[in-house]
Amino acid sequence: MKLIVVGLGQAGSRIADEFARINKRAKSQRNIEICPGIFAVNTDAADLTGLTTIEPDYQHRILIGGRKTGGHGVGKINELGAEVARADADKVIDALRSARHFYEADAFLLAASSAGGTGSGSIPIIAQRIKERYPEKPLYTLLALPFEHERETEERASYNSAVCLKSVYGISDCVFLIDNQRYVMKDSSLGNNISRINEMIVEPFYDLLCAGEEKNPRFIGAKTLDAGDIIQTLSGWSVYGWGHADLNKSFNPFERSNDFRKKTSETHKGIQAMDEAISEMSLRVNPKDAGRAIYLVTAPAKEMNMDMMRELNEWMRELCPNAIIRNGDYPRGTSRISVNVILSELSDVEKVRNFYSDSIDLIPVIKQRQVELRNKLDDIDDMSKDIPSLLE
Ligand code: GDP
């Protein structure tokens, strides 16, 4: 599957930069292009300069709101992020078309944090403009939700997230939800190591996107998972996870205490990888709430046996009894079994509900502040009305 990736704001741009890195790797190691166009959009010029892999020209690193913000961002005011995106949307759309293989892309993926100003405010606006221009291509969004401490201490983090979540849900074919906090918990030594978190957010897309683009018959699975399968699956609120089992390590049957013990070691390892993927989804959800799901098993061809694929299928059906499930295999790699899982069309997401309920009380407070700010600006304008101006 090929994606045009657009990162908005600081978090979104860094996530897009990470996609640029996996695209480079896919080209050099697998001779595959998975992202024919990767763009970063920001109101902060310094953040754009700090990226490492996205092409360093103004067509790929797009500064918006220059006049309004002086290239210094929008603070945490996502209404301002939306305003500058409305004014400069054409600049972004024109740049997208410059992607060399634009028409080969199967879908758009837009990424941002929900809590900031630029990304949170601009992502729904840019999504809407792209959708109007290219209604035939699916459009997906990926939102990084704030850390717990931000949610607790910064009212704008919750409020912006609620507004952004509602807005992107209304326009995207699917919204991938990422809980920044989950990634810290996955590895306590991470601290707030943002670049490791971004790697962990993007890496699961590597095999998922490559699997359907393979040209070498050695690496084409018995059941290829291609763009069509992914597009058919992605819908509404979605989360994803990724797990592994090392094939060189002998399996310890006491790690799981149920009847899987008697199965072959590969099957155990496949199940172990799937368990890890499910228990470490990008946001905690109940798999029973998924209306659609897809998984990909990546392992050396000789490890991919029928027994394992059947067991994985049964296990997935047990976990997601209400989902239409698609799957595929990707005979790649040498030393491990990986399982990628996407749960989509979720009928309930507790975290989204919490953002909405936290924000209800904040709406009048934030609206009041906006009125006060507008009044102050009007007062200054009023006082200046008799002062001569040098402008014609
Ligand atoms: P913007 O540039 O105004 O859109 O603001 P940011 O993207 O910096 O948004 C701030 C929020 O994003 C906070 O919740 C941060 O914890 C989070 N954040 C900032 N940078 C990153 C990043 O590189 N990756 C991730 N996953 N989250 C980030």
Side-chain angles (χ1 to χ4, degrees):
M1 183 176 198
K2 291 182 193 286
L3 295 176
I4 298 276
V5 178
V6 186
L8 300 120
Q10 175 168 259
S13 298
R14 289 187 189 147
I15 291 169
D17 210 35
E18 208 50 56
F19 271 98
R21 256 193 292 277
I22 64 164
N23 186 49
K24 210 166 162 185
R25 177 147 52 96
K27 274 195 203 161
S28 66
Q29 295 180 0
R30 298 182 174 181
N31 197 21
I32 293 173
E33 171 132 274
I34 48 179
C35 303
I38 304 166
F39 303 87
V41 179
N42 209 337
T43 51
D44 190 312
D47 284 352
L48 286 174
T49 313
L51 301 172
T52 59
T53 313
I54 292 180
E55 289 184 47
D57 56 54
Y58 71 91
Q59 284 279 72
H60 292 86
R61 301 186 185 191
I62 306 163
L63 185 67
I64 56 167
R67 260 181 147 183
K68 196 145 198 135
T69 68
H72 296 299
V74 299
K76 297 257 179 245
I77 316 294
N78 70 350
E79 295 83 1
L80 185 53
E83 196 181 318
V84 298
R86 254 179 236 113
D88 281 350
D90 286 344
K91 201 169 168 182
V92 179
I93 304 279
D94 288 347
L96 298 190
R97 279 212 312 259
S98 73
R100 260 179 306 135
H101 303 287
F102 179 82
Y103 288 99
E104 285 175 18
D106 300 292
F108 295 100
L109 177 71
L110 273 56
S113 73
S114 63
T118 300
S120 166
S122 62
I123 191 169
I125 307 298
I126 299 296
Q128 190 173 36
R129 290 294 174 87
I130 295 176
K131 201 76 195 155
E132 281 163 10
R133 192 69 76 93
Y134 303 105
E136 71 292 349
K137 268 199 214 298
L139 184 144
Y140 308 128
T141 43
L142 182 153
L143 289 184
L145 306 175
F147 293 102
E148 250 346 281
H149 69 267
E150 295 174 310
R151 206 168 75 87
E152 282 160 10
T153 57
E154 298 170 25
E155 57 186 33
R156 264 282 175 177
S158 283
Y159 178 81
N160 286 357
S161 294
V163 172
C164 178
L165 284 161
K166 178 181 170 173
S167 310
V168 293
Y169 186 72
I171 190 72
S172 319
D173 293 294
C174 138
V175 185
F176 288 112
L177 298 166
I178 312 288
D179 186 354
N180 270 349
Q181 192 65 34
R182 296 274 288 163
Y183 290 84
V184 176
M185 285 191 282
K186 267 190 199 178
D187 178 351
S188 55
S189 65
L190 263 180
N192 282 356
N193 186 342
I194 289 282
S195 61
R196 261 300 281 147
I197 294 180
N198 292 340
E199 258 177 64
M200 287 157 80
I201 291 172
V202 175
E203 192 60 33
F205 285 90
Y206 186 56
D207 286 334
L208 263 177
L209 298 179
C210 285
E213 299 300 323
E214 275 292 350
K215 287 163 209 82
N216 185 335
R218 270 178 62 211
F219 303 126
I220 294 179
K223 203 168 173 193
T224 308
L225 195 146
D226 61 16
D229 296 306
I230 299 176
I231 291 169
Q232 295 288 324
T233 302
L234 297 183
S235 168
W237 301 122
S238 304
V239 297
Y240 58 88
W242 190 40
H244 312 282
D246 188 345
L247 288 165
N248 299 325
K249 237 167 64 186
S250 61
F251 176 74
N252 172 6
F254 298 106
E255 279 176 8
R256 282 182 68 88
S257 57
N258 56 27
D259 64 346
F260 288 115
R261 217 175 297 161
K262 296 188 211 75
K263 304 285 186 263
T264 64
S265 143
E266 292 80 21
T267 304
H268 275 299
K269 290 194 166 159
I271 296 281
Q272 193 181 319
M274 183 175 269
D275 276 352
E276 187 185 321
I278 293 278
S279 63
E280 298 197 357
M281 300 306 279
S282 54
L283 175 82
R284 191 189 300 280
V285 295
N286 184 348
K288 292 193 168 53
D289 292 328
R292 303 184 197 195
I294 194 163
Y295 66 90
L296 173 72
V297 184
T298 306
K302 63 179 179 3
E303 312 291 343
M304 208 87 79
N305 62 60
M306 290 293 285
D307 186 37
M308 174 173 78
M309 297 308 279
R310 197 179 46 248
E311 288 287 347
L312 286 177
N313 207 7
E314 280 172 19
W315 184 223
M316 191 69 182
R317 283 191 188 286
E318 226 173 282
L319 290 165
C320 308
N322 304 312
I324 298 168
I325 300 172
R326 294 182 174 80
N327 63 54
D329 61 292
Y330 187 20
R332 263 282 186 185
T334 51
S335 58
R336 67 180 187 184
I337 295 181
S338 308
V339 177
N340 284 68
V341 178
I342 300 177
L343 303 182
S344 205
E345 207 173 63
L346 290 158
S347 55
D348 186 28
V349 183
E350 190 187 355
K351 192 106 185 179
V352 172
R353 270 195 285 115
N354 290 345
F355 278 121
Y356 289 159
S357 64
D358 287 355
S359 300
I360 297 289
D361 295 340
L362 291 172
I363 295 168
V365 179
I366 289 181
K367 285 219 165 116
Q368 178 60 27
R369 257 185 237 144
Q370 284 165 351
V371 171
E372 282 167 13
L373 179 68
R374 175 70 19 227
N375 289 346
K376 276 190 193 156
L377 289 171
D378 288 348
D379 284 352
I380 298 184
D381 272 357
D382 248 14
M383 285 171 72
S384 73
K385 70 177 185 301
D386 297 327
I387 309 283
S389 166
L390 296 174
L391 298 176
E392 288 183 3

